[in-house]
Amino acid sequence: MTTTLKIGMIGTGSIAHEHIQAYQKMDNVELVAFCDINPSQLNHMADRYGISETYSSKEALLANADIDAVSVCTWNAAHAECAIAALNAGKHVLCEKPMATSVADALAMEAAAKKNGKLLMIGFVRRFGNDAQIVTDFRDKDFFGEIYYGKATYLRRNGNPGGWFGDKSRSGGGPLIDLGVHVIDLLNYLMGQPKPISVYGATFQKLFNRPDSKDTVAYSSSTTDEKDICDVEDLASAMIRFADGSVVSIEASFSLNLKEDQGKIELFGTKGGASLAPQLELYTDINGYMTDIQLKTPTALDMNGLFYNEVAHFVDCVLNNTECLTPAADGVTIMRILDAIYQSAETGHEVMI
Ligand SMILES: NC(=O)c1ccc[n+]([C@@H]2O[C@H](COP(=O)([O-])OP(=O)(O)OC[C@H]3O[C@@H](n4cnc5c(N)ncnc54)[C@H](O)[C@@H]3O)[C@@H](O)[C@H]2O)c1
């Protein structure tokens, strides 16, 4: 194994900035080539980051034998084809969340990684926050007792990122697969990865992408289609049951008539509880007194810090064979949950996993 990891980027849109800037901070990484099917975006990014090797197809990039690993930052529906092609070409892969747009694709990706003996890491970036690490530390030292309930909201009042995000054929869905995926994964991880057994979900298409809105959105896709399609849900709500009896409840929206955007992640155990966002707080009962604990240690990281930790972990896993914190198998589990929630929303019934 080389000591300098040579990286290719497949998909050079908005989130690619985070991957690129993280790789650029590392001494043991060389960013070699960019690939994007959108030539103007590809050229813009290559100019900005000083990359001379550019490709309009993943096959051409993957034919470069010098490249050890790739970041897949395409829209969701292209994750599977890009990751599988990269793994078959002998590259390690860091694939953005959600892993795929179907369980079948996620399983095919996992199988390709196994067959080729290469790492497939899924970009569950929220696991790389200080808050997640501190909560798992408290959990492992039994601060929470039995954790039986987790609850998260990831609600945007006017936050459809545009481009492909509203086009189901490229996104696989709306806020559930885009935002809900983060908090479902994070809660499942913090709760010690209990096995999901069933879900009950509801989705709504009421406000779409607020086509008449005069306000800008906080995060936008770099893909600017002539006509913004919006055939995905704008609100999703779900309850997930796990084999150990615990339950998670989540809500995620792109468009919702609420006062302000909300991002809350809460855990409840028999001995203690926690609220992660915006700042980590822990709750317990000491000698019968209800007690709130705020840590001196900084707990909230910005996007840049989270992505640096994620990308640095990927590099460490590849170069040093470190155990991956977010392996393909976890991506498959979360994909099963997402798929089941969409099925439940369609049928109106609980769906077994
Ligand atoms: N982890 C996070 O917090 C986070 C945040 C935002 C986006 N994301 C994920 O990152 C991915 C990209 O999102 P984005 O906001 O950067 O979108 P974007 O529209 O800005 O960029 C996507 C790029 O992928 C390119 N592309 C599509 N198919 C391709 C293919 N087959 N080969 C090469 N290039 C291809 C497009 O041309 C586009 O330039 C999505 O999966 C999204 O869910 C993750």
Side-chain angles (χ1 to χ4, degrees), residues 9-19 35-39 41-42 45 55-59 72-79 81-82 95-99 123-126 154 156 161-165 170-171 177-179 181-182 219-224 303 306-307 310:
M9 294 291 307
I10 304 183
T12 56
S14 297
I15 211 61
H17 288 285
E18 299 291 344
H19 288 239
C35 159
D36 201 293
I37 53 173
N38 175 345
Q41 180 65 18
L42 177 64
M45 294 292 273
Y55 300 100
S56 58
S57 81
K58 60 179 183 298
E59 289 79 11
V72 172
C73 296
T74 65
W75 48 66
N76 304 341
H79 287 181
E81 64 183 66
C82 293
C95 179
E96 260 305 337
K97 52 47 67 174
M99 182 173 183
F124 290 130
V125 73
R126 291 299 307 267
Y154 200 151
R156 290 183 182 164
W164 58 269
F165 279 84
R170 287 181 287 172
S171 62
I177 198 166
D178 182 48
L179 308 176
V181 63
H182 281 295
Y219 180 87
S220 16
S221 161
S222 65
T223 307
T224 43
M303 279 264 275
L306 286 175
F307 276 96
E310 173 191 294

Side-chain angles (χ1 to χ4, degrees), residues 106-124:
L107 286 169
M109 292 162 77
E110 186 187 31
K114 267 199 194 122
K115 184 183 87 186
N116 294 292
K118 297 290 163 190
L119 173 66
L120 172 56
M121 169 169 159
I122 310 302
F124 290 130

